[in-house]
Amino acid sequence: YIRPVGADDIAREVRFIASMSAQTRYERLFSHRLIGPAELRQLVRFDVRREIALMAAVRDGNEEQIVGVARLKKSADGLQCEFAMVVGDAWHRQGIGERLLARLLAVASLAGIRQVTGVTMATNVSMKALARKVGFSVQPDPQDATLSLLTITL
């Protein structure tokens, strides 16, 4: 199921990030750095007027496990935003990313956002394929050959 990320999700977020392979973390963070406590808090406590964060989760008994997260951060004018997302390694190729991104775009549209952009590693074939599948254009970054720019108009 998919639901908004909330302040009480910090422990789940920590477990989710810890479960990712080094490659998946690198593709999401664009570096091999570790996420510090302050940044972790920002992932679950954010200004809901400027940011949207959704998580895909599964239940294991009474425990909820995050399997993917997608986020939007609005521009100052609120008409466009940048997105980022990640799906846990064990959950790749199961349609979770597509459902999560489609829901994020639907929420963005309802919020009046007209354009969504993103950046991914040029080598991240899976993310580029997913972006194309849901309607994004995918172009090389003219300023950085290691990146691809993703854009969709809602």
Side-chain angles (χ1 to χ4, degrees):
Y1 59 94
I2 296 173
R3 70 165 179 82
V5 172
D8 61 338
D9 289 318
I10 194 158
R12 282 180 279 280
E13 187 80 34
V14 167
R15 286 191 299 273
F16 176 58
I17 292 168
S19 75
M20 288 182 217
S21 68
Q23 181 65 32
T24 296
R25 277 194 311 275
Y26 181 77
E27 288 174 344
R28 171 58 183 92
L29 301 171
F30 296 88
S31 77
H32 289 292
R33 69 184 172 80
L34 297 175
I35 296 177
E39 191 175 1
L40 277 168
R41 282 189 299 278
Q42 288 177 341
L43 292 176
V44 297
R45 293 187 181 118
F46 49 87
D47 182 351
V48 295
R49 295 167 299 182
R50 293 194 30 102
E51 295 183 47
I52 298 166
L54 300 176
M55 64 181 234
V58 295
R59 283 221 175 265
D60 182 13
N62 289 335
E63 288 296 312
E64 189 177 45
Q65 177 187 356
I66 297 175
V67 299
V69 176
R71 302 174 180 280
L72 293 176
K73 189 166 191 173
K74 295 179 186 177
S75 63
D77 64 11
L79 298 178
Q80 62 182 0
C81 62
E82 186 170 353
F83 89 99
M85 69 176 291
V86 62
V87 173
D89 295 271
W91 301 92
H92 287 182
R93 305 207 189 302
Q94 296 185 39
I96 292 167
E98 183 177 356
R99 289 191 302 272
L100 191 56
L101 186 52
R103 177 77 62 87
L104 189 69
L105 294 175
V107 170
S109 181
L110 288 172
I113 295 166
R114 296 294 160 242
Q115 186 176 55
V116 178
T117 62
V119 177
T120 193
M121 304 296 291
T123 56
N124 192 341
V125 176
S126 297
M127 184 64 229
K128 293 190 307 184
L130 171 59
R132 284 186 184 102
K133 188 173 186 178
V134 299
F136 281 82
S137 69
V138 178
Q139 303 296 323
D141 184 331
Q143 298 176 336
D144 187 340
T146 67
L147 301 175
S148 293
L149 305 176
L150 315 172
T151 307
I152 191 170
T153 301
L154 303 177

